Amino acid sequence: MLSIVSTPIGNLGDITKRAIETLSKVDAIICEDTRVAGKLCTQLEIPKKEFISMHSYTSDQKIEIVLRRLKKGENMAVTSDAGTPGISDPGFKLISRARERGIEIEVIPGPSAFLAALSISGLPANQFLYLGFLPVKKGRKRLIKSFAEEKHTIVFYESVHRIEKTLIELSEALSEQPDRKIVIARELTKLHEEVIETTVEGLPTVAKEITNKGEFVVVIEAV
Ligand code: SAM
């Protein structure tokens, strides 16, 4: 059995009961950074486990070894450093191959930063467009320009290194919609959680003030 286990995005209290039970009983935990997974297990008082690191660039050979072990009947959990595996995080390749092989898979759902941001944004979230991380180069300009026509609430991830630049680019691309609402969710569920509500017009000011460290989700009102 392969168990897909979501883990907290910052607050340990958000771990689910099923996640603890599953991580405690599996033979091995497939994770991104073994130190992050190790720390989580220590905090949760989960008995010592085998950790298998897996990233988007992990070789097919390594995935094959894991699949064979699962096929033989071992139980493994797949986690990412934070949030839900496969959501802008590794996991997809392993899960799709496990499905092809007829390996039993279960999901232990839990936190995901984009869902938390959507729900706190106050913007309609019945329908939304999730974009993960925006492309850094190819297609970036065209994609941001297309936001001017987007009929769904837009949500995407941004790193501290690029947040200022992205907010400036948004303010330029959407300059004809100065009142359009933008919500920037920073460090959700953590000590310095902050939700900044602004408009396209207010973006340059917000961009200048965002100097702190953190992880960000940007939510943009639909047209
Ligand atoms: N799989 C994760 C999930 O389900 O949310 C997302 C992983 S992605 C590599 C990491 C990005 O998620 C960060 O760069 C940031 O944009 C966003 N993120 C993660 N934790 C966050 C938090 N506590 N507050 C705001 N954004 C967060």
Side-chain angles (χ1 to χ4, degrees), residues 6-7 9-11 32 80 82-90 111-115 117 130 133 156-160 185-190 214-217:
S6 297
T7 57
I9 57 167
N11 188 325
E32 286 186 81
S80 62
T84 297
I87 304 297
S88 301
D89 259 344
S112 200
F114 81 91
L115 284 176
Y130 168 71
F133 289 98
F156 64 88
Y157 288 156
E158 195 49 277
S159 74
V160 69
R186 187 176 84 92
E187 295 286 88
L188 290 172
T189 75
K190 301 186 197 177
E215 298 194 280
F216 298 87
V217 186

PDB file of all heavy atoms in Angstrom, residues 6-7 9-11 32 80 82-90 111-115 117 130 133 156-160 185-190 214-217, ligand 1:
ATOM      1  N   SER A   6      -0.528  14.150   3.594  1.00  0.00           N
ATOM      2  CA  SER A   6      -0.291  15.603   3.698  1.00  0.00           C
ATOM      3  C   SER A   6       0.260  15.915   5.076  1.00  0.00           C
ATOM      4  O   SER A   6      -0.121  15.283   6.073  1.00  0.00           O
ATOM      5  CB  SER A   6      -1.602  16.376   3.522  1.00  0.00           C
ATOM      6  OG  SER A   6      -2.132  16.167   2.250  1.00  0.00           O
ATOM      7  N   THR A   7       1.141  16.914   5.120  1.00  0.00           N
ATOM      8  CA  THR A   7       1.730  17.334   6.403  1.00  0.00           C
ATOM      9  C   THR A   7       1.521  18.849   6.562  1.00  0.00           C
ATOM     10  O   THR A   7       1.205  19.533   5.589  1.00  0.00           O
ATOM     11  CB  THR A   7       3.234  16.970   6.461  1.00  0.00           C
ATOM     12  OG1 THR A   7       3.889  17.591   5.355  1.00  0.00           O
ATOM     13  CG2 THR A   7       3.456  15.463   6.421  1.00  0.00           C
ATOM     14  N   ILE A   9       1.697  22.967   6.859  1.00  0.00           N
ATOM     15  CA  ILE A   9       2.430  23.980   6.078  1.00  0.00           C
ATOM     16  C   ILE A   9       3.114  24.983   7.014  1.00  0.00           C
ATOM     17  O   ILE A   9       3.528  26.051   6.590  1.00  0.00           O
ATOM     18  CB  ILE A   9       1.507  24.704   5.065  1.00  0.00           C
ATOM     19  CG1 ILE A   9       0.303  25.367   5.776  1.00  0.00           C
ATOM     20  CG2 ILE A   9       1.044  23.758   3.984  1.00  0.00           C
ATOM     21  CD1 ILE A   9      -0.464  26.350   4.913  1.00  0.00           C
ATOM     22  N   GLY A  10       3.209  24.648   8.288  1.00  0.00           N
ATOM     23  CA  GLY A  10       3.893  25.562   9.206  1.00  0.00           C
ATOM     24  C   GLY A  10       3.538  25.318  10.657  1.00  0.00           C
ATOM     25  O   GLY A  10       4.349  25.555  11.542  1.00  0.00           O
ATOM     26  N   ASN A  11       2.324  24.850  10.894  1.00  0.00           N
ATOM     27  CA  ASN A  11       1.882  24.658  12.274  1.00  0.00           C
ATOM     28  C   ASN A  11       1.681  23.158  12.539  1.00  0.00           C
ATOM     29  O   ASN A  11       0.792  22.531  11.949  1.00  0.00           O
ATOM     30  CB  ASN A  11       0.566  25.417  12.495  1.00  0.00           C
ATOM     31  CG  ASN A  11       0.147  25.413  13.946  1.00  0.00           C
ATOM     32  OD1 ASN A  11       0.357  24.438  14.662  1.00  0.00           O
ATOM     33  ND2 ASN A  11      -0.434  26.509  14.384  1.00  0.00           N
ATOM     34  N   GLU A  32      10.907  14.372   0.556  1.00  0.00           N
ATOM     35  CA  GLU A  32      11.831  15.217  -0.217  1.00  0.00           C
ATOM     36  C   GLU A  32      13.156  15.291   0.537  1.00  0.00           C
ATOM     37  O   GLU A  32      14.125  14.671   0.183  1.00  0.00           O
ATOM     38  CB  GLU A  32      11.261  16.634  -0.354  1.00  0.00           C
ATOM     39  CG  GLU A  32      10.122  16.778  -1.317  1.00  0.00           C
ATOM     40  CD  GLU A  32       9.751  18.241  -1.476  1.00  0.00           C
ATOM     41  OE1 GLU A  32      10.432  18.945  -2.237  1.00  0.00           O
ATOM     42  OE2 GLU A  32       8.788  18.686  -0.836  1.00  0.00           O
ATOM     43  N   SER A  80       5.714  15.324   1.403  1.00  0.00           N
ATOM     44  CA  SER A  80       6.618  16.336   0.842  1.00  0.00           C
ATOM     45  C   SER A  80       7.093  17.172   2.027  1.00  0.00           C
ATOM     46  O   SER A  80       6.686  16.915   3.166  1.00  0.00           O
ATOM     47  CB  SER A  80       5.893  17.179  -0.213  1.00  0.00           C
ATOM     48  OG  SER A  80       4.819  17.877   0.366  1.00  0.00           O
ATOM     49  N   ALA A  82       6.293  20.033   2.974  1.00  0.00           N
ATOM     50  CA  ALA A  82       5.137  20.650   3.645  1.00  0.00           C
ATOM     51  C   ALA A  82       3.932  20.577   2.726  1.00  0.00           C
ATOM     52  O   ALA A  82       4.078  20.637   1.503  1.00  0.00           O
ATOM     53  CB  ALA A  82       5.437  22.117   3.962  1.00  0.00           C
ATOM     54  N   GLY A  83       2.770  20.417   3.303  1.00  0.00           N
ATOM     55  CA  GLY A  83       1.551  20.411   2.513  1.00  0.00           C
ATOM     56  C   GLY A  83       1.271  19.071   1.855  1.00  0.00           C
ATOM     57  O   GLY A  83       1.587  18.014   2.407  1.00  0.00           O
ATOM     58  N   THR A  84       0.697  19.140   0.673  1.00  0.00           N
ATOM     59  CA  THR A  84       0.209  17.930   0.014  1.00  0.00           C
ATOM     60  C   THR A  84       1.148  17.485  -1.109  1.00  0.00           C
ATOM     61  O   THR A  84       1.451  18.286  -2.001  1.00  0.00           O
ATOM     62  CB  THR A  84      -1.219  18.201  -0.531  1.00  0.00           C
ATOM     63  OG1 THR A  84      -2.062  18.481   0.597  1.00  0.00           O
ATOM     64  CG2 THR A  84      -1.774  17.007  -1.273  1.00  0.00           C
ATOM     65  N   PRO A  85       1.597  16.239  -1.066  1.00  0.00           N
ATOM     66  CA  PRO A  85       2.478  15.730  -2.126  1.00  0.00           C
ATOM     67  C   PRO A  85       1.803  15.861  -3.495  1.00  0.00           C
ATOM     68  O   PRO A  85       0.589  15.703  -3.609  1.00  0.00           O
ATOM     69  CB  PRO A  85       2.669  14.249  -1.755  1.00  0.00           C
ATOM     70  CG  PRO A  85       2.389  14.178  -0.298  1.00  0.00           C
ATOM     71  CD  PRO A  85       1.339  15.220  -0.035  1.00  0.00           C
ATOM     72  N   GLY A  86       2.604  16.166  -4.499  1.00  0.00           N
ATOM     73  CA  GLY A  86       2.072  16.265  -5.861  1.00  0.00           C
ATOM     74  C   GLY A  86       1.533  17.645  -6.201  1.00  0.00           C
ATOM     75  O   GLY A  86       1.321  17.963  -7.360  1.00  0.00           O
ATOM     76  N   ILE A  87       1.310  18.482  -5.198  1.00  0.00           N
ATOM     77  CA  ILE A  87       0.813  19.839  -5.441  1.00  0.00           C
ATOM     78  C   ILE A  87       2.028  20.774  -5.441  1.00  0.00           C
ATOM     79  O   ILE A  87       2.526  21.152  -4.376  1.00  0.00           O
ATOM     80  CB  ILE A  87      -0.221  20.280  -4.365  1.00  0.00           C
ATOM     81  CG1 ILE A  87      -1.379  19.283  -4.276  1.00  0.00           C
ATOM     82  CG2 ILE A  87      -0.737  21.700  -4.640  1.00  0.00           C
ATOM     83  CD1 ILE A  87      -2.219  19.134  -5.534  1.00  0.00           C
ATOM     84  N   SER A  88       2.526  21.077  -6.653  1.00  0.00           N
ATOM     85  CA  SER A  88       3.780  21.839  -6.811  1.00  0.00           C
ATOM     86  C   SER A  88       4.891  21.214  -5.976  1.00  0.00           C
ATOM     87  O   SER A  88       5.735  21.925  -5.415  1.00  0.00           O
ATOM     88  CB  SER A  88       3.592  23.317  -6.445  1.00  0.00           C
ATOM     89  OG  SER A  88       2.616  23.886  -7.256  1.00  0.00           O
ATOM     90  N   ASP A  89       4.873  19.935  -5.850  1.00  0.00           N
ATOM     91  CA  ASP A  89       5.842  19.158  -5.077  1.00  0.00           C
ATOM     92  C   ASP A  89       5.995  17.792  -5.736  1.00  0.00           C
ATOM     93  O   ASP A  89       5.099  17.372  -6.478  1.00  0.00           O
ATOM     94  CB  ASP A  89       5.307  18.945  -3.643  1.00  0.00           C
ATOM     95  CG  ASP A  89       5.942  19.906  -2.655  1.00  0.00           C
ATOM     96  OD1 ASP A  89       6.969  20.511  -2.985  1.00  0.00           O
ATOM     97  OD2 ASP A  89       5.399  20.042  -1.545  1.00  0.00           O
ATOM     98  N   PRO A  90       7.099  17.085  -5.437  1.00  0.00           N
ATOM     99  CA  PRO A  90       7.259  15.751  -6.018  1.00  0.00           C
ATOM    100  C   PRO A  90       6.144  14.799  -5.570  1.00  0.00           C
ATOM    101  O   PRO A  90       5.447  15.071  -4.606  1.00  0.00           O
ATOM    102  CB  PRO A  90       8.599  15.270  -5.459  1.00  0.00           C
ATOM    103  CG  PRO A  90       9.243  16.446  -4.862  1.00  0.00           C
ATOM    104  CD  PRO A  90       8.198  17.451  -4.556  1.00  0.00           C
ATOM    105  N   PRO A 111      -3.406  19.746   4.936  1.00  0.00           N
ATOM    106  CA  PRO A 111      -3.172  21.115   4.495  1.00  0.00           C
ATOM    107  C   PRO A 111      -2.562  21.244   3.104  1.00  0.00           C
ATOM    108  O   PRO A 111      -1.831  20.367   2.652  1.00  0.00           O
ATOM    109  CB  PRO A 111      -2.159  21.642   5.531  1.00  0.00           C
ATOM    110  CG  PRO A 111      -2.197  20.694   6.659  1.00  0.00           C
ATOM    111  CD  PRO A 111      -2.620  19.379   6.123  1.00  0.00           C
ATOM    112  N   SER A 112      -2.895  22.345   2.472  1.00  0.00           N
ATOM    113  CA  SER A 112      -2.243  22.768   1.240  1.00  0.00           C
ATOM    114  C   SER A 112      -2.294  24.289   1.246  1.00  0.00           C
ATOM    115  O   SER A 112      -3.345  24.868   1.532  1.00  0.00           O
ATOM    116  CB  SER A 112      -2.969  22.187   0.025  1.00  0.00           C
ATOM    117  OG  SER A 112      -2.102  22.219  -1.082  1.00  0.00           O
ATOM    118  N   ALA A 113      -1.174  24.933   0.930  1.00  0.00           N
ATOM    119  CA  ALA A 113      -1.095  26.387   1.098  1.00  0.00           C
ATOM    120  C   ALA A 113      -2.085  27.138   0.214  1.00  0.00           C
ATOM    121  O   ALA A 113      -2.657  28.142   0.623  1.00  0.00           O
ATOM    122  CB  ALA A 113       0.336  26.856   0.811  1.00  0.00           C
ATOM    123  N   PHE A 114      -2.322  26.627  -1.010  1.00  0.00           N
ATOM    124  CA  PHE A 114      -3.206  27.395  -1.898  1.00  0.00           C
ATOM    125  C   PHE A 114      -4.657  27.339  -1.412  1.00  0.00           C
ATOM    126  O   PHE A 114      -5.401  28.317  -1.547  1.00  0.00           O
ATOM    127  CB  PHE A 114      -3.059  26.948  -3.359  1.00  0.00           C
ATOM    128  CG  PHE A 114      -3.811  25.720  -3.747  1.00  0.00           C
ATOM    129  CD1 PHE A 114      -5.101  25.800  -4.245  1.00  0.00           C
ATOM    130  CD2 PHE A 114      -3.234  24.461  -3.623  1.00  0.00           C
ATOM    131  CE1 PHE A 114      -5.801  24.662  -4.612  1.00  0.00           C
ATOM    132  CE2 PHE A 114      -3.914  23.325  -3.998  1.00  0.00           C
ATOM    133  CZ  PHE A 114      -5.207  23.422  -4.487  1.00  0.00           C
ATOM    134  N   LEU A 115      -5.047  26.214  -0.803  1.00  0.00           N
ATOM    135  CA  LEU A 115      -6.419  26.104  -0.272  1.00  0.00           C
ATOM    136  C   LEU A 115      -6.588  27.018   0.938  1.00  0.00           C
ATOM    137  O   LEU A 115      -7.608  27.698   1.082  1.00  0.00           O
ATOM    138  CB  LEU A 115      -6.728  24.664   0.121  1.00  0.00           C
ATOM    139  CG  LEU A 115      -7.016  23.712  -1.040  1.00  0.00           C
ATOM    140  CD1 LEU A 115      -7.203  22.294  -0.537  1.00  0.00           C
ATOM    141  CD2 LEU A 115      -8.260  24.161  -1.813  1.00  0.00           C
ATOM    142  N   ALA A 117      -4.952  29.716   1.524  1.00  0.00           N
ATOM    143  CA  ALA A 117      -4.955  31.109   1.051  1.00  0.00           C
ATOM    144  C   ALA A 117      -6.295  31.475   0.425  1.00  0.00           C
ATOM    145  O   ALA A 117      -6.837  32.547   0.678  1.00  0.00           O
ATOM    146  CB  ALA A 117      -3.822  31.316   0.044  1.00  0.00           C
ATOM    147  N   TYR A 130      -5.661  27.429 -10.416  1.00  0.00           N
ATOM    148  CA  TYR A 130      -4.437  27.243  -9.624  1.00  0.00           C
ATOM    149  C   TYR A 130      -3.260  27.116 -10.585  1.00  0.00           C
ATOM    150  O   TYR A 130      -3.279  26.255 -11.473  1.00  0.00           O
ATOM    151  CB  TYR A 130      -4.569  25.982  -8.758  1.00  0.00           C
ATOM    152  CG  TYR A 130      -3.256  25.550  -8.133  1.00  0.00           C
ATOM    153  CD1 TYR A 130      -2.673  26.291  -7.109  1.00  0.00           C
ATOM    154  CD2 TYR A 130      -2.588  24.419  -8.589  1.00  0.00           C
ATOM    155  CE1 TYR A 130      -1.474  25.910  -6.553  1.00  0.00           C
ATOM    156  CE2 TYR A 130      -1.385  24.020  -8.031  1.00  0.00           C
ATOM    157  CZ  TYR A 130      -0.837  24.769  -7.008  1.00  0.00           C
ATOM    158  OH  TYR A 130       0.373  24.397  -6.466  1.00  0.00           O
ATOM    159  N   PHE A 133       3.689  27.601  -9.309  1.00  0.00           N
ATOM    160  CA  PHE A 133       4.634  28.716  -9.449  1.00  0.00           C
ATOM    161  C   PHE A 133       4.541  29.237 -10.881  1.00  0.00           C
ATOM    162  O   PHE A 133       4.475  28.447 -11.822  1.00  0.00           O
ATOM    163  CB  PHE A 133       6.069  28.240  -9.191  1.00  0.00           C
ATOM    164  CG  PHE A 133       6.347  27.918  -7.748  1.00  0.00           C
ATOM    165  CD1 PHE A 133       6.303  26.608  -7.296  1.00  0.00           C
ATOM    166  CD2 PHE A 133       6.649  28.922  -6.834  1.00  0.00           C
ATOM    167  CE1 PHE A 133       6.553  26.298  -5.967  1.00  0.00           C
ATOM    168  CE2 PHE A 133       6.894  28.625  -5.509  1.00  0.00           C
ATOM    169  CZ  PHE A 133       6.851  27.316  -5.070  1.00  0.00           C
ATOM    170  N   PHE A 156      -1.690  31.507  -7.041  1.00  0.00           N
ATOM    171  CA  PHE A 156      -0.380  30.931  -7.361  1.00  0.00           C
ATOM    172  C   PHE A 156       0.612  31.117  -6.213  1.00  0.00           C
ATOM    173  O   PHE A 156       0.392  31.929  -5.315  1.00  0.00           O
ATOM    174  CB  PHE A 156       0.176  31.488  -8.686  1.00  0.00           C
ATOM    175  CG  PHE A 156       0.471  32.963  -8.705  1.00  0.00           C
ATOM    176  CD1 PHE A 156       1.694  33.474  -8.299  1.00  0.00           C
ATOM    177  CD2 PHE A 156      -0.500  33.857  -9.153  1.00  0.00           C
ATOM    178  CE1 PHE A 156       1.961  34.837  -8.330  1.00  0.00           C
ATOM    179  CE2 PHE A 156      -0.242  35.228  -9.191  1.00  0.00           C
ATOM    180  CZ  PHE A 156       1.000  35.711  -8.773  1.00  0.00           C
ATOM    181  N   TYR A 157       1.681  30.330  -6.274  1.00  0.00           N
ATOM    182  CA  TYR A 157       2.722  30.376  -5.246  1.00  0.00           C
ATOM    183  C   TYR A 157       3.832  31.342  -5.664  1.00  0.00           C
ATOM    184  O   TYR A 157       4.115  31.486  -6.859  1.00  0.00           O
ATOM    185  CB  TYR A 157       3.349  28.983  -5.062  1.00  0.00           C
ATOM    186  CG  TYR A 157       2.442  27.986  -4.366  1.00  0.00           C
ATOM    187  CD1 TYR A 157       2.605  26.621  -4.556  1.00  0.00           C
ATOM    188  CD2 TYR A 157       1.444  28.410  -3.505  1.00  0.00           C
ATOM    189  CE1 TYR A 157       1.785  25.703  -3.911  1.00  0.00           C
ATOM    190  CE2 TYR A 157       0.622  27.500  -2.860  1.00  0.00           C
ATOM    191  CZ  TYR A 157       0.796  26.148  -3.065  1.00  0.00           C
ATOM    192  OH  TYR A 157      -0.014  25.241  -2.428  1.00  0.00           O
ATOM    193  N   GLU A 158       4.462  31.958  -4.675  1.00  0.00           N
ATOM    194  CA  GLU A 158       5.615  32.800  -4.985  1.00  0.00           C
ATOM    195  C   GLU A 158       6.645  32.726  -3.869  1.00  0.00           C
ATOM    196  O   GLU A 158       6.294  32.567  -2.700  1.00  0.00           O
ATOM    197  CB  GLU A 158       5.149  34.254  -5.206  1.00  0.00           C
ATOM    198  CG  GLU A 158       6.186  35.116  -5.871  1.00  0.00           C
ATOM    199  CD  GLU A 158       6.809  34.498  -7.128  1.00  0.00           C
ATOM    200  OE1 GLU A 158       7.758  33.696  -6.967  1.00  0.00           O
ATOM    201  OE2 GLU A 158       6.362  34.783  -8.242  1.00  0.00           O
ATOM    202  N   SER A 159       7.905  32.800  -4.277  1.00  0.00           N
ATOM    203  CA  SER A 159       8.979  32.735  -3.284  1.00  0.00           C
ATOM    204  C   SER A 159       9.364  34.147  -2.841  1.00  0.00           C
ATOM    205  O   SER A 159       9.065  35.125  -3.535  1.00  0.00           O
ATOM    206  CB  SER A 159      10.207  32.047  -3.881  1.00  0.00           C
ATOM    207  OG  SER A 159      10.826  32.941  -4.771  1.00  0.00           O
ATOM    208  N   VAL A 160      10.065  34.229  -1.741  1.00  0.00           N
ATOM    209  CA  VAL A 160      10.485  35.522  -1.205  1.00  0.00           C
ATOM    210  C   VAL A 160      11.417  36.253  -2.178  1.00  0.00           C
ATOM    211  O   VAL A 160      11.428  37.472  -2.241  1.00  0.00           O
ATOM    212  CB  VAL A 160      11.133  35.347   0.199  1.00  0.00           C
ATOM    213  CG1 VAL A 160      12.470  34.643   0.115  1.00  0.00           C
ATOM    214  CG2 VAL A 160      11.252  36.668   0.918  1.00  0.00           C
ATOM    215  N   ALA A 185      -1.092  36.218   0.799  1.00  0.00           N
ATOM    216  CA  ALA A 185      -1.075  35.475   2.072  1.00  0.00           C
ATOM    217  C   ALA A 185       0.363  35.051   2.353  1.00  0.00           C
ATOM    218  O   ALA A 185       0.988  34.375   1.543  1.00  0.00           O
ATOM    219  CB  ALA A 185      -1.982  34.254   1.968  1.00  0.00           C
ATOM    220  N   ARG A 186       0.859  35.470   3.494  1.00  0.00           N
ATOM    221  CA  ARG A 186       2.262  35.213   3.840  1.00  0.00           C
ATOM    222  C   ARG A 186       2.349  34.370   5.112  1.00  0.00           C
ATOM    223  O   ARG A 186       1.608  34.620   6.075  1.00  0.00           O
ATOM    224  CB  ARG A 186       2.954  36.554   4.093  1.00  0.00           C
ATOM    225  CG  ARG A 186       4.452  36.474   4.293  1.00  0.00           C
ATOM    226  CD  ARG A 186       5.035  37.855   4.432  1.00  0.00           C
ATOM    227  NE  ARG A 186       4.922  38.318   5.809  1.00  0.00           N
ATOM    228  CZ  ARG A 186       5.864  38.149   6.730  1.00  0.00           C
ATOM    229  NH1 ARG A 186       6.983  37.569   6.431  1.00  0.00           N
ATOM    230  NH2 ARG A 186       5.680  38.585   7.959  1.00  0.00           N
ATOM    231  N   GLU A 187       3.191  33.355   5.098  1.00  0.00           N
ATOM    232  CA  GLU A 187       3.485  32.560   6.302  1.00  0.00           C
ATOM    233  C   GLU A 187       2.216  32.024   6.992  1.00  0.00           C
ATOM    234  O   GLU A 187       2.097  32.090   8.219  1.00  0.00           O
ATOM    235  CB  GLU A 187       4.292  33.415   7.294  1.00  0.00           C
ATOM    236  CG  GLU A 187       5.670  33.823   6.812  1.00  0.00           C
ATOM    237  CD  GLU A 187       6.653  32.675   6.825  1.00  0.00           C
ATOM    238  OE1 GLU A 187       6.717  31.955   5.818  1.00  0.00           O
ATOM    239  OE2 GLU A 187       7.334  32.486   7.838  1.00  0.00           O
ATOM    240  N   LEU A 188       1.294  31.506   6.189  1.00  0.00           N
ATOM    241  CA  LEU A 188       0.044  31.008   6.765  1.00  0.00           C
ATOM    242  C   LEU A 188       0.291  29.949   7.822  1.00  0.00           C
ATOM    243  O   LEU A 188       1.172  29.094   7.654  1.00  0.00           O
ATOM    244  CB  LEU A 188      -0.849  30.440   5.654  1.00  0.00           C
ATOM    245  CG  LEU A 188      -1.428  31.477   4.698  1.00  0.00           C
ATOM    246  CD1 LEU A 188      -2.135  30.800   3.532  1.00  0.00           C
ATOM    247  CD2 LEU A 188      -2.378  32.426   5.414  1.00  0.00           C
ATOM    248  N   THR A 189      -0.442  30.016   8.875  1.00  0.00           N
ATOM    249  CA  THR A 189      -0.419  29.099  10.035  1.00  0.00           C
ATOM    250  C   THR A 189       0.853  29.239  10.887  1.00  0.00           C
ATOM    251  O   THR A 189       1.042  28.498  11.842  1.00  0.00           O
ATOM    252  CB  THR A 189      -0.597  27.597   9.651  1.00  0.00           C
ATOM    253  OG1 THR A 189       0.612  27.097   9.072  1.00  0.00           O
ATOM    254  CG2 THR A 189      -1.755  27.363   8.706  1.00  0.00           C
ATOM    255  N   LYS A 190       1.739  30.172  10.508  1.00  0.00           N
ATOM    256  CA  LYS A 190       2.986  30.346  11.271  1.00  0.00           C
ATOM    257  C   LYS A 190       2.890  31.596  12.148  1.00  0.00           C
ATOM    258  O   LYS A 190       1.923  32.354  12.065  1.00  0.00           O
ATOM    259  CB  LYS A 190       4.172  30.492  10.316  1.00  0.00           C
ATOM    260  CG  LYS A 190       4.359  29.303   9.379  1.00  0.00           C
ATOM    261  CD  LYS A 190       5.624  29.449   8.586  1.00  0.00           C
ATOM    262  CE  LYS A 190       5.612  28.521   7.390  1.00  0.00           C
ATOM    263  NZ  LYS A 190       6.799  28.684   6.550  1.00  0.00           N
ATOM    264  N   GLY A 214       9.750  34.905   4.087  1.00  0.00           N
ATOM    265  CA  GLY A 214       8.471  34.198   4.145  1.00  0.00           C
ATOM    266  C   GLY A 214       8.127  33.436   2.899  1.00  0.00           C
ATOM    267  O   GLY A 214       8.851  33.448   1.912  1.00  0.00           O
ATOM    268  N   GLU A 215       7.000  32.754   2.989  1.00  0.00           N
ATOM    269  CA  GLU A 215       6.460  32.009   1.858  1.00  0.00           C
ATOM    270  C   GLU A 215       5.135  32.672   1.505  1.00  0.00           C
ATOM    271  O   GLU A 215       4.373  33.058   2.392  1.00  0.00           O
ATOM    272  CB  GLU A 215       6.223  30.560   2.259  1.00  0.00           C
ATOM    273  CG  GLU A 215       7.489  29.846   2.659  1.00  0.00           C
ATOM    274  CD  GLU A 215       7.276  28.347   2.714  1.00  0.00           C
ATOM    275  OE1 GLU A 215       6.737  27.873   3.723  1.00  0.00           O
ATOM    276  OE2 GLU A 215       7.637  27.665   1.753  1.00  0.00           O
ATOM    277  N   PHE A 216       4.860  32.762   0.219  1.00  0.00           N
ATOM    278  CA  PHE A 216       3.716  33.567  -0.219  1.00  0.00           C
ATOM    279  C   PHE A 216       2.762  32.813  -1.147  1.00  0.00           C
ATOM    280  O   PHE A 216       3.197  32.007  -1.966  1.00  0.00           O
ATOM    281  CB  PHE A 216       4.200  34.794  -0.997  1.00  0.00           C
ATOM    282  CG  PHE A 216       5.057  35.721  -0.193  1.00  0.00           C
ATOM    283  CD1 PHE A 216       6.427  35.518  -0.099  1.00  0.00           C
ATOM    284  CD2 PHE A 216       4.501  36.794   0.491  1.00  0.00           C
ATOM    285  CE1 PHE A 216       7.230  36.367   0.647  1.00  0.00           C
ATOM    286  CE2 PHE A 216       5.299  37.653   1.240  1.00  0.00           C
ATOM    287  CZ  PHE A 216       6.659  37.433   1.324  1.00  0.00           C
ATOM    288  N   VAL A 217       1.477  33.141  -1.009  1.00  0.00           N
ATOM    289  CA  VAL A 217       0.476  32.735  -1.996  1.00  0.00           C
ATOM    290  C   VAL A 217      -0.223  34.020  -2.438  1.00  0.00           C
ATOM    291  O   VAL A 217      -0.591  34.844  -1.599  1.00  0.00           O
ATOM    292  CB  VAL A 217      -0.568  31.759  -1.411  1.00  0.00           C
ATOM    293  CG1 VAL A 217      -1.505  31.258  -2.518  1.00  0.00           C
ATOM    294  CG2 VAL A 217       0.095  30.575  -0.714  1.00  0.00           C
TER     295      VAL A 217
HETATM  296  N1  SAM B   1       2.815  20.970  -1.628  1.00  0.00           N
HETATM  297  C1  SAM B   1       2.694  22.255  -0.983  1.00  0.00           C
HETATM  298  C2  SAM B   1       1.218  22.524  -0.694  1.00  0.00           C
HETATM  299  O1  SAM B   1       0.413  21.602  -0.758  1.00  0.00           O
HETATM  300  O2  SAM B   1       0.891  23.660  -0.362  1.00  0.00           O
HETATM  301  C3  SAM B   1       3.320  23.365  -1.817  1.00  0.00           C
HETATM  302  C4  SAM B   1       4.786  23.209  -1.997  1.00  0.00           C
HETATM  303  S1  SAM B   1       5.541  24.480  -2.910  1.00  0.00           S
HETATM  304  C5  SAM B   1       7.108  23.768  -3.246  1.00  0.00           C
HETATM  305  C6  SAM B   1       5.996  25.639  -1.676  1.00  0.00           C
HETATM  306  C7  SAM B   1       5.278  26.988  -1.859  1.00  0.00           C
HETATM  307  O3  SAM B   1       4.000  26.926  -1.224  1.00  0.00           O
HETATM  308  C8  SAM B   1       5.994  28.135  -1.173  1.00  0.00           C
HETATM  309  O4  SAM B   1       7.007  28.695  -2.011  1.00  0.00           O
HETATM  310  C9  SAM B   1       4.874  29.123  -0.967  1.00  0.00           C
HETATM  311  O5  SAM B   1       4.588  29.835  -2.140  1.00  0.00           O
HETATM  312  C10 SAM B   1       3.707  28.166  -0.644  1.00  0.00           C
HETATM  313  N2  SAM B   1       3.602  27.967   0.807  1.00  0.00           N
HETATM  314  C11 SAM B   1       3.950  26.860   1.512  1.00  0.00           C
HETATM  315  N3  SAM B   1       3.693  27.038   2.827  1.00  0.00           N
HETATM  316  C12 SAM B   1       3.161  28.266   2.947  1.00  0.00           C
HETATM  317  C13 SAM B   1       2.686  29.045   4.042  1.00  0.00           C
HETATM  318  N4  SAM B   1       2.730  28.567   5.281  1.00  0.00           N
HETATM  319  N5  SAM B   1       2.193  30.284   3.803  1.00  0.00           N
HETATM  320  C14 SAM B   1       2.149  30.783   2.545  1.00  0.00           C
HETATM  321  N6  SAM B   1       2.588  30.099   1.473  1.00  0.00           N
HETATM  322  C15 SAM B   1       3.087  28.864   1.663  1.00  0.00           C
END
